[in-house]
Amino acid sequence: MCTPENNFKETENTKDTPGDTKTNHPQPRVTVCLLTTAFFTAFGSSFLYGYNLSVVNAASPFVRHFMNRTWIERYGTPIESDTLTLLWSITVSIMAIGGLCGAIANKHLLKVLGRRGTLLASNCFSLVAAVLQATGEKADSFEMIIIGRFIIGINTGISLSTVPIYLGEIAPRHIRGSICHFHSNIITMGVVIGQILGLPEVLGQESRWNFLFAFIALPPLSQLTVLSYMPESPRYLLIDKKDVAGAEIAFKRFLGKDNVTTELEEAQAESQAQNNVQTISVLGILRSKAVRWQIITVIISVPCNQFSGGSAVRFHSYIEMNRILSEAGLSKSLISYMTIGVGGCFFLSAFSLQALVIEHVGRKPLLIVGFSGMAVFYSLTTVFINIQCFIYIHIYIYMYIYLLPCCKLISLTSLSAATLPIVVTELFEQSYRPAAFLIFGTAFWLCNFIMGLVFPFMQEALDTYTFLVFVVVCATVSVYLFIVLPETKNRTFMEISQSFAKRNKVSNVPTAQQELPIPQETQTETV
């Protein structure tokens, strides 16, 4: 299906600079096989996370009505308001519990099934979840919807950790950031598609809302169809499975060239530097001095990214936007389209800007700009909220001065959130990566759940000064990343590990550039 002959030819980049005796290795172009794999990997997995975040809001009034109707049929009386609120809160939040379970199980799945195999197996969860949620109304069981949300959470917990690893390992290092950005961009696409399908003119009706959940089955089915014919991660095949022939075939298909000796040497050098150790456990990675500061970076940056208030400000800004636009006299249907338009603009900006600049600007500047920019615009948002509270401003003027920083905040939030999984992928070598993403996933889902519980109480206690807490968090993590995080752009995993060697107080590890020998059977003839 995807062979080197069917892909683009590699780029000529062999010019030598004066006085330089080294020949630059040609950099392969993006191939059809690589792009297809990246898109369907993200569409079948990452898409579901964004879609389930937004579609639950569209289905909220219909599911609540269904719960009340079922309660009356069972017990003969309407459900109490507090009980209904509790059931709906469980329905929404249980996805995070499932995500935590999926993140914990993911490390073992990666070891047994590999990267591609884990993604394909996780589709079983999403298909089961789609059936349960789509048929819950026919079965007069709102419990099926709750269980389906938990199961789709398991799928999401697995995929949010596996997709960045798989994409990071199959992509050439000079475009690794752009390929990994499929993960975050497709999440944003899922949010927008969920908003569109939730419109009353589409599926947002009493007679059609169960099709919103049935749609969940389409992305995993497409991934099962396409990804089954794509190669496994060549680095996983070579380093974990010692399958040199399989790794060579995978490299050739992904890179679109016949001579992949350089890539094999780079992966083999990493394997030899790790002394062919098995996959590290979570306890082992926490004890290891070689990755101490990498783990500290994950433990600090991931919770700070969740506690930076991205999800909270997105939710708050959409509520405030609806209030402002309603007071301005706009109809409810028009407000829905404007909300979708805002989400579409964020998706287009993320797709066009982040994916293009990440290979030119680098990861570290994007993270620092994202967090420090959020600190600035949180401050502006606080100022504008208090201006509205203490000074009368015409609603149209307030609409612009308030929504401008809020829209910028959502954009900056997506910038930092999109770049962080890429950096986590690049900070760790092969044997550490599954355990590192187990820590990443656990921190992500726990902090996501905690933030959802704590934010309403923060808002009630601090009122108009709520966002000042986020200012402190964003400013702190910006300073930390500026001091500790090295730039990972266009560097091998071995080079990135060596950049931490001095800070971790361990001896330097050899890099792929030192051209460590590989076994005779792994060498291929130059074409």
Side-chain angles (χ1 to χ4, degrees):
M1 183 175 179
C2 292
T3 60
E5 292 77 14
N6 292 332
N7 288 318
F8 299 109
K9 294 182 179 180
E10 58 189 84
T11 307
E12 294 296 331
N13 187 23
T14 58
K15 295 181 180 179
D16 296 331
T17 56
D20 187 7
T21 58
K22 289 178 68 177
T23 301
N24 296 327
H25 294 290
Q27 291 185 341
R29 291 180 179 177
V30 181
T31 63
V32 173
C33 185
L34 180 61
L35 277 179
T36 303
T37 302
F39 176 79
F40 282 97
T41 295
F43 181 67
S45 300
S46 309
F47 178 90
L48 292 177
Y49 175 62
Y51 181 80
N52 281 284
L53 285 180
S54 63
V55 79
V56 72
N57 294 323
S60 172
F62 310 115
V63 176
R64 285 169 175 264
H65 177 70
F66 165 60
M67 288 178 171
N68 185 53
R69 189 184 72 233
T70 305
W71 193 275
I72 294 174
E73 292 175 356
R74 291 180 183 178
Y75 306 107
T77 59
I79 190 171
E80 294 183 0
S81 176
D82 293 342
T83 305
L84 179 60
T85 302
L86 176 62
L87 284 175
W88 179 246
S89 298
I90 293 173
T91 304
V92 174
S93 61
I94 202 169
M95 180 177 166
I97 305 299
L100 178 61
C101 296
I104 293 173
N106 189 58
K107 176 179 178 293
H108 305 287
L109 293 175
L110 287 173
K111 181 179 179 180
V112 176
L113 303 177
R115 282 61 167 144
R116 187 191 64 141
T118 298
L119 290 172
L120 292 175
S122 69
N123 288 321
C124 297
F125 292 104
S126 53
L127 292 174
V128 171
V131 172
L132 286 174
Q133 294 182 87
T135 59
E137 184 187 24
K138 298 295 182 183
D140 291 328
S141 174
F142 56 79
E143 293 87 353
M144 292 175 63
I145 297 178
I146 297 175
I147 295 172
R149 288 280 295 177
F150 174 76
I151 294 176
I152 198 64
I154 296 176
N155 168 267
T156 305
I158 294 172
S159 62
L160 287 189
S161 296
T162 306
V163 171
I165 295 177
Y166 184 50
L167 297 184
E169 291 181 2
I170 68 174
R173 59 179 175 175
H174 70 285
I175 56 170
R176 190 165 55 217
S178 297
I179 294 298
C180 288
H181 250 288
F182 273 89
H183 172 58
S184 58
N185 290 335
I186 299 299
I187 289 177
T188 309
M189 178 194 290
V191 172
V192 176
I193 296 298
Q195 292 173 339
I196 293 174
L197 293 182
L199 289 172
E201 295 82 357
V202 189
L203 298 178
Q205 298 181 13
E206 182 68 33
S207 60
R208 302 178 185 174
W209 64 267
N210 52 347
F211 290 104
L212 289 171
F213 295 119
F215 182 82
I216 294 173
L218 294 183
L221 286 175
S222 68
Q223 187 184 84
L224 282 170
T225 303
V226 177
L227 210 60
S228 300
Y229 296 96
M230 298 302 170
E232 177 59 91
S233 162
R235 303 182 70 84
Y236 169 78
L237 292 173
L238 180 62
I239 299 176
D240 292 308
K241 292 300 183 182
K242 314 302 178 187
D243 184 1
V244 180
E248 183 177 357
I249 294 172
F251 270 129
K252 287 180 178 180
R253 292 180 66 184
F254 281 130
L255 303 182
K257 62 179 186 178
D258 293 320
N259 181 17
V260 293
T261 305
T262 302
E263 288 74 17
L264 287 171
E265 287 176 347
E266 179 186 315
Q268 189 70 30
E270 182 180 339
S271 177
Q272 292 180 0
Q274 298 176 65
N275 297 320
N276 296 320
V277 295
Q278 298 296 320
T279 302
I280 305 296
S281 65
V282 174
L283 185 60
I285 198 174
L286 291 175
R287 289 177 174 177
S288 175
K289 294 182 179 180
V291 292
R292 176 171 297 168
W293 277 98
Q294 290 97 310
I295 287 296
I296 292 174
T297 301
V298 172
I299 293 175
I300 290 177
S301 58
V302 174
C304 283
N305 185 59
Q306 291 298 307
F307 294 145
S308 65
S311 300
V313 75
R314 187 180 290 112
F315 177 73
H316 175 83
S317 63
Y318 280 130
I319 292 178
E320 186 70 3
M321 183 189 302
N322 289 337
R323 183 188 70 80
I324 293 172
L325 296 177
S326 297
E327 292 181 8
L330 299 181
S331 64
K332 189 174 181 179
S333 60
L334 183 58
I335 293 175
S336 299
Y337 284 107
M338 292 185 68
T339 303
I340 293 174
V342 171
C345 290
F346 292 144
F347 167 69
L348 292 176
S349 64
F351 187 82
S352 60
L353 179 61
Q354 296 174 22
L356 294 177
V357 304
I358 192 169
E359 299 299 349
H360 299 284
V361 177
R363 285 61 152 156
K364 182 176 181 178
L366 287 181
L367 282 174
I368 294 175
V369 168
F371 283 111
S372 59
M374 280 193 285
V376 172
F377 282 96
Y378 275 133
S379 302
L380 291 176
T381 302
T382 302
V383 170
F384 292 147
I385 290 176
N386 282 280
I387 287 176
Q388 171 68 6
C389 290
F390 297 111
I391 303 174
Y392 175 77
I393 299 178
H394 194 276
I395 191 65
Y396 288 104
I397 300 176
Y398 178 61
M399 180 173 65
Y400 288 107
I401 66 174
Y402 173 80
L403 293 182
L404 178 61
C406 271
C407 290
K408 191 62 179 177
L409 268 171
I410 297 174
S411 180
L412 290 169
T413 301
S414 64
L415 183 67
S416 59
T419 308
L420 194 56
I422 301 174
V423 172
V424 176
T425 301
E426 296 175 329
L427 288 183
F428 298 93
E429 297 170 16
Q430 191 81 5
S431 61
Y432 293 104
R433 203 168 292 133
F437 264 91
L438 173 55
I439 296 173
F440 172 88
T442 303
F444 175 89
W445 288 106
L446 276 178
C447 295
N448 188 299
F449 183 72
I450 293 171
M451 191 64 209
L453 291 177
V454 171
F455 181 73
F457 297 100
M458 285 177 52
Q459 198 171 24
E460 182 178 347
L462 300 176
D463 197 21
T464 58
Y465 298 99
T466 303
F467 294 130
L468 292 181
V469 177
F470 303 145
V471 172
V472 175
V473 173
C474 292
T476 301
V477 73
S478 297
V479 173
Y480 173 84
L481 293 173
F482 178 78
I483 296 173
V484 174
L485 185 68
E487 179 52 64
T488 60
K489 178 188 70 173
N490 200 24
R491 302 177 70 182
T492 66
F493 298 117
M494 288 290 295
E495 292 172 334
I496 296 168
S497 294
Q498 184 172 354
S499 66
F500 275 99
K502 184 177 180 180
R503 189 176 295 276
N504 288 325
K505 297 181 180 180
V506 296
S507 58
N508 289 348
V509 292
T511 65
Q513 272 68 22
Q514 292 174 295
E515 299 180 354
L516 292 179
I518 59 176
Q520 184 66 32
E521 65 270 17
T522 67
Q523 298 181 3
T524 57
E525 296 182 0
T526 303
V527 178

